[in-house]
Amino acid sequence: MQTSISSITVHRVPLQLRQPFTTSFGTYETLDRPFVVIETSDGLRGVGEVPTLLDPAYKAEVDTPSVLTSLREFILPSVERFQREQGEIDSIPALRESYSWVKGAVFAKSGVEAAMWDIVAQRTSHPLWHLWGGERRTFPVGVSIGGKTVSQVLDLAEQAVALGYGRLKVKIWPGFDDEVARAVRRRFSDVFLQVDANSAYTMANWHRLQMLDDLDLLLIEQPLFDDDIVLHSEISRKLRTPICLDESIHSLRDAQAAATLWGQNNGLARLIVNIKPPRVSGFAEAITIARFCHERGIRSWIGGMLDSAWGKAMNLNLNGLPEIELPGDHFSPGGAYFVEDVTGTPLVAEAGQFALGDGVSAGVAFDWPRFERMGQVVYRQELAR
Ligand code: OSB
Ligand code: MG
């Protein structure tokens, strides 16, 4: 049967965080998220979140206005044109080809791709983890702690450990690093502990990170510039703790560049990659990167972007891949990040472990009535058949 896309709709949904989330680049209390909804000629409806932030302080093109512009001006019209010329778009490769000429716009592209993955999964009645080659049904997950003071971070860490989480990630920046990491390590001597600087250090002050080298940290995430790989590889030679790249990885080629640099002095065990599907344009590229890293002996994990429960559920499915070696960022210490979320079922980890079920697609029910009430349609592209 010939199937095609009949419409693509972009919704904009305000989300209220249960508690403020602080990083080196600022504090967020609310978010404003585009969700892409694709409808097909065979009566399916798929949804993909674009986990934007309010501004480009984390990195370029992550802000809601940029993503809405890319979708409206370039990506959705390209999908429409491609289908008009080719007759159908019924697969992920065809969809990606339709907008491959657009440089960058990784976050915007990822929402369209995620909606199409939801359709492909529904059409074949498979869970996403199964479509993606997942084999692990149960795996450890961790929490990301964005606190403003040492005592706030300790409180959040306490909550997470009480819930059974065995892996904590703590946000740091110059002056809020050694003390907070040491305090968490002193309180929880046997958790997997890692820190994330979100590019807050420079070549003038990165030496502060050497103070953390005796804390048995799993990794230090993106200490330097958001667009840098080379300088990270240089400071990595002078640190025992592995460096993890987040912001600077957008594609397989970025991971390959990092592998070349760290490989030059046998340092691949000191390179870790945070794979965020939306930051690498979608799940297809994320899977390619995970396989490449695994082959080269580079450990990887699935990072989050304060995603809604729908985005988190998709990311959890990706954790089924045997190539993913480290626990991901998948929950806030108290459960879902938001006061009101877009799925009916909450995502629950037992004793720090998440178990994937047999449910179709993401494995959780998307709450359409609530979603429609929470947000509004901002753009709609009709496609001819
Ligand atoms: O750097 O990993 C990051 C949230 C927003 C933007 C960037 C980051 C984060 C997090 C939260 O650390 C991770 C999560 O979603 O659980
Ligand atoms: Mg990060």
Side-chain angles (χ1 to χ4, degrees), residues 58 169 171 196-198 221-222 245-247 274 276 279 301 304 329:
Y58 161 71
K169 155 166 152 177
K171 295 290 187 178
D196 187 358
N198 287 112
E221 188 172 340
Q222 199 80 23
L245 295 178
D246 170 359
E247 281 88 328
N274 171 343
K276 289 184 180 172
R279 200 201 57 236
W301 53 284
D329 276 339

Side-chain angles (χ1 to χ4, degrees), residues 25 56-61 197-201 222-229 231-232 245-250 254 279:
F25 57 80
Y58 161 71
K59 66 182 279 87
E61 301 194 315
N198 287 112
S199 73
Y201 293 79
Q222 199 80 23
L224 302 176
F225 315 95
D226 66 283
D227 58 355
D228 168 79
I229 300 177
L231 296 173
H232 279 97
L245 295 178
D246 170 359
E247 281 88 328
S248 45
I249 302 292
H250 311 90
D254 287 332
R279 200 201 57 236

Side-chain angles (χ1 to χ4, degrees), residues 17 19-23 141-147 153 156-157 160 165 167-172 194-196 198 221 246 274 276 301-307 312 327-335 337:
L17 282 159
Q19 55 200 12
F21 190 82
T22 299
T23 70
V141 287
V143 299
S144 179
I145 297 175
V153 170
L156 292 168
Y165 292 102
R167 180 285 217 175
L168 308 177
K169 155 166 152 177
V170 174
K171 295 290 187 178
I172 60 162
Q194 58 194 66
V195 294
D196 187 358
N198 287 112
E221 188 172 340
D246 170 359
N274 171 343
K276 289 184 180 172
W301 53 284
I302 308 302
M305 289 288 296
L306 301 172
D307 321 75
K312 288 284 182 211
D329 276 339
H330 286 293
F331 291 84
S332 68
Y337 274 122

